[in-house]
Amino acid sequence: MERQTSQPIGTPLEFCLRQRAAGSAQQAAVTDVILALCDAAQSIARLLAKGPLGGSLGAETGQDNSDGDSQKALDVLANDHVVRVLEPAPVRYLASEEEDAILTLREDAPLAVAVDPLDGSSNIDVNVSVGTIFSVYTASKEGASASFFRPGSEQIAAGYFVYGPHTALMLTTGDGVDLFVLDPDYRTFRLAQPALVIVPSTSEFAINASNYRHWLEPVRTFIDDCLEGVDGPRGKDFNMRWVASLVAETHRIFSRGGVFLYPADMREAYANGRLRLIYEAAPIAMLVEQAGGLAIDGTRRILDRIPTELHQRTPLIFGSSEKVARIQNYHTDPGYSRGQSPLFRTRGLFNA
Ligand code: FDP
């Protein structure tokens, strides 16, 4: 994915964005939003860097968020930072995992922003990477809901901050994906790697294997086939990772490929998986596709899905294109099913 012009490594984010936005009012507004989110990310990174010295950021607040997940102290603080920085930004509507309803910030502003302020919050107290995910649309004339209840393919920008050993921003404005890193010496995000590409094929998968007994047949068969390694139908060994932090898994897939699965399963509460369509799956899917990967819910492209509820969940499978296409086959092609025993031992013939 080659961009026409690209700035040298180390260029400050603001310079990169302002140069790209030249002459476009919409891109200028997007730039303002991204820079505002960078301010929130720096505040969140500072809070995280204090660890237990900042109080128990991973403690339950005793409240559930809009979707029934328990809220941690840092979920609330991160949301406060995001709302504060976006209030003066060109944002008409803000949808957040931590808010029951869509907030109207500025009636005359052109953009709508969806945010998961603190993704992976079960990792806060164990000093493992967490993140902030965001998605930007034009605000719809038809109002708040219409601004978000639309296909993810209409996003005009998406990204995430990952708070790890360093703080990084993975960003797309619809023209490839760039990685920016927060330079602690200058307190500014600087270009670290332009035009990222997710390798099409690898031997690594990420899934919460403790849910094995709940999985539906296509996912169970795919994982069984991977686990059988060189002795199974895939004829090679696989490696597994599970950080339990969507941004961290995404970051790994950007750096060395692989697939991530949080599928639907047989439990009532997981009939649509766990992750949220508007502020988790859609922005990750835009980033992944912009880097040459794929993102599906099992059978359908995530970016074609039209949400009908603000906090709607979706199964999410994304990563290296050949691997995701293969998993889609497990969902749609009976030849990949364990029930079809004559084909079972020959599935290796279909290897990508
Ligand atoms: P968390 O609830 O800790 O915010 O967004 C939801 C998420 O984390 C993802 O980041 C992560 O991939 C997933 O949940 C982990 O779920 P499990 O605990 O079921 O593995």
Side-chain angles (χ1 to χ4, degrees):
M1 204 162 296
E2 283 296 314
R3 190 177 295 128
Q4 295 295 317
T5 56
S6 84
Q7 291 87 4
I9 305 296
T11 307
L13 169 69
E14 179 162 7
F15 182 83
C16 294
L17 292 178
R18 299 249 179 255
Q19 210 178 45
R20 279 185 222 167
S24 159
Q26 178 175 285
Q27 281 301 325
V30 171
T31 296
D32 290 345
V33 164
I34 293 166
L35 294 174
L37 288 169
C38 286
D39 289 343
Q42 293 213 41
S43 303
I44 295 167
R46 268 199 299 277
L47 273 173
L48 284 163
K50 283 196 173 203
L53 299 177
S56 185
L57 296 171
E60 310 268 334
T61 59
Q63 305 286 313
D64 287 347
N65 69 17
S66 42
D67 205 26
D69 291 342
S70 69
Q71 265 182 336
K72 310 276 195 304
L74 191 63
D75 283 321
V76 176
L77 289 170
N79 188 55
D80 290 348
H81 281 299
V82 167
V83 174
R84 182 179 53 77
V85 298
L86 290 183
E87 268 167 351
V91 177
R92 193 179 316 173
Y93 302 118
L94 173 62
S96 166
E97 180 177 22
E98 306 305 330
E99 303 283 350
D100 288 340
I102 298 168
L103 306 179
T104 300
L105 300 186
R106 278 179 48 187
E107 289 285 4
D108 59 339
L111 300 178
V113 177
V115 188
D116 178 357
L118 210 282
D119 173 69
S121 45
S122 62
N123 282 315
I124 298 167
D125 277 345
V126 289
N127 203 13
V128 165
S129 299
V130 293
T132 300
I133 309 173
F134 62 91
S135 162
V136 184
Y137 292 89
T138 53
S140 168
K141 289 188 179 67
E142 282 153 42
S145 299
S147 297
F148 299 103
F149 294 3
R150 63 209 289 190
S153 54
E154 293 181 11
Q155 291 171 102
I156 53 177
Y160 65 80
F161 297 92
V162 57
Y163 312 107
H166 58 258
T167 295
L169 164 64
M170 196 69 83
L171 176 68
T172 180
T173 54
D175 183 20
V177 179
D178 296 316
L179 173 66
F180 296 87
V181 169
L182 177 60
D183 186 333
D185 292 336
Y186 297 93
R187 292 192 177 183
T188 188
F189 285 87
R190 297 167 64 179
L191 183 63
Q193 207 179 332
L196 273 92
V197 172
I198 296 176
V199 293
S201 186
T202 63
S203 304
E204 200 162 71
F205 63 90
I207 193 164
N208 183 342
S210 69
N211 296 328
Y212 181 90
R213 70 190 186 285
H214 305 299
W215 293 337
L216 302 170
E217 203 263 333
V219 169
R220 203 188 272 231
T221 307
F222 170 73
I223 297 297
D224 283 344
D225 287 356
C226 292
L227 295 179
E228 285 183 40
V230 286
D231 303 322
R234 303 293 303 279
K236 62 176 182 172
D237 290 331
F238 289 83
N239 189 28
M240 198 202 89
R241 288 285 182 275
W242 186 248
V243 184
S245 174
L246 176 61
V247 286
E249 320 273 9
T250 310
H251 218 60
R252 185 188 60 251
I253 287 171
F254 265 98
S255 83
R256 64 184 195 215
V259 281
F260 169 99
L261 303 93
Y262 211 118
D265 70 38
M266 289 184 283
R267 291 169 292 174
E268 207 180 321
Y270 289 76
N272 291 307
R274 174 180 170 98
L275 302 172
R276 273 44 73 110
L277 179 54
I278 293 179
Y279 41 79
E280 292 181 320
I284 295 295
M286 181 180 183
L287 285 164
V288 166
E289 285 203 5
Q290 285 287 321
L294 292 175
I296 59 171
D297 66 1
T299 56
R300 296 167 293 183
R301 180 183 178 228
I302 289 288
L303 293 181
D304 289 338
R305 300 275 316 275
I306 301 177
T308 52
E309 287 170 34
L310 182 55
H311 299 289
Q312 185 171 334
R313 295 179 193 261
T314 179
L316 177 60
I317 297 166
F318 70 87
S320 295
S321 57
E322 289 175 12
K323 299 297 161 197
V324 176
R326 173 183 291 280
I327 297 171
Q328 191 163 18
N329 285 338
Y330 276 80
H331 285 81
T332 56
D333 181 343
Y336 281 75
S337 157
R338 236 166 233 282
Q340 307 292 312
S341 51
L343 284 176
F344 166 51
R345 284 295 157 194
T346 60
R347 271 200 307 265
L349 294 176
F350 305 129
N351 275 353

